[in-house]
Amino acid sequence: MSFQFKSAAAVAVGTFNIYIVQPHWLAEIGLLKEHSQLRMEADFNRPGFRFRVDGAQIRWNVRPDRLMLETQSADEDCGEPLATVLKVLEWTPLLGVGTNLEFEAEPAILSRLSCPLPKCEAPDGFEVGQRTWHISVIRGPHQFNFQLALQAADDPAAAPAVGLSINVHTDTSKENGHQRSSALGQSACKLFRPHCDEALALASDFLGVEISR
């Protein structure tokens, strides 16, 4: 019984021109192959788009306020290509960079955790929608956030799942100037794999169970 890897992402939060960060431009800077076959998705409720090259494990999510590289493969490094984009667009206003990981386990794992979820009863007329445990630890510009959640299932016949969300946030907004902010963001992106490994080791220590990709 253990947490199972679901997804990972590298995220840059700032101000991005969605008419620049497009597949043909990514091919020009060496991140995509020319004439790649793409699968495009659009969200008609807000500006931006998603796309993935056929056969690739990384999906690009481009919005005016953020740029995300997402994967469901534990072997992919989403940080390196994002660092390349930030280097080329070093004058782009950047607020922060994040490494995100998502895991899931069966509810039985709760009995093994050294940091249990809080127990509480819902008032009359209510149902408990979610119970969570959260901790944040900081080192330098990097903040490691861990949240464990037992979420009520949408289907009453289905068993609820225990989700573990991990985020390593690097605040670049305090840097003096766009170039320095971008440099810090690029550095954080290149730490995608080390941050993933360190975050999993910390989560294992906090929760008392082994977590691996």
Side-chain angles (χ1 to χ4, degrees):
M1 183 191 307
S2 62
F3 284 96
Q4 301 298 313
F5 173 83
K6 289 186 64 182
S7 64
V11 184
V13 179
T15 304
F16 294 94
N17 188 334
I18 63 174
Y19 301 104
I20 290 179
V21 185
Q22 295 199 4
H24 64 85
W25 180 79
L26 293 171
E28 289 179 4
I29 64 173
L31 292 178
L32 297 181
K33 292 182 179 179
E34 292 281 358
H35 310 299
S36 296
Q37 294 295 314
L38 303 174
R39 294 183 181 271
M40 301 288 295
E41 301 174 24
D43 185 347
F44 294 106
N45 293 317
R46 54 183 171 181
F49 54 89
R50 293 188 180 96
F51 68 87
R52 178 174 61 84
V53 175
D54 275 352
Q57 296 296 323
I58 291 179
R59 182 175 66 173
W60 292 75
N61 189 340
V62 182
R63 301 182 192 170
D65 64 338
R66 67 192 58 214
L67 179 61
M68 295 182 285
L69 276 68
E70 307 161 317
T71 185
Q72 293 181 321
S73 170
D75 298 324
E76 291 297 321
D77 185 345
C78 297
E80 280 291 345
L82 185 55
T84 298
V85 171
L86 296 182
K87 182 177 181 179
V88 176
L89 302 178
E90 63 179 350
W91 291 102
T92 295
L94 189 65
L95 299 177
V97 166
T99 293
N100 298 335
L101 296 167
E102 296 288 339
F103 295 83
E104 193 172 82
E106 296 179 358
I109 202 170
L110 294 175
S111 63
R112 300 176 51 200
L113 302 180
S114 54
C115 293
L117 293 177
K119 294 182 178 180
C120 60
E121 296 295 331
D124 290 341
F126 292 85
E127 295 180 359
V128 175
Q130 186 182 66
R131 290 162 53 204
T132 63
W133 167 90
H134 174 262
I135 190 171
S136 174
V137 292
I138 300 172
R139 185 187 60 214
H142 310 300
Q143 180 172 338
F144 290 70
N145 301 293
F146 305 86
Q147 178 167 303
L148 190 71
L150 178 62
Q151 183 78 41
D154 294 333
D155 181 359
V162 179
L164 174 62
S165 299
I166 300 174
N167 164 260
V168 185
H169 176 70
T170 303
D171 185 357
T172 65
S173 65
K174 297 181 177 62
E175 294 298 306
N176 185 21
H178 294 325
Q179 286 182 303
R180 293 185 61 177
S181 176
S182 178
L184 178 57
Q186 293 169 48
S187 175
C189 288
K190 293 176 181 178
L191 289 172
F192 181 84
R193 285 191 183 276
H195 276 169
C196 286
D197 293 339
E198 187 172 16
L200 292 185
L202 288 170
S204 296
D205 286 344
F206 287 138
L207 299 175
V209 295
E210 185 176 350
I211 305 170
S212 62
R213 288 181 291 166

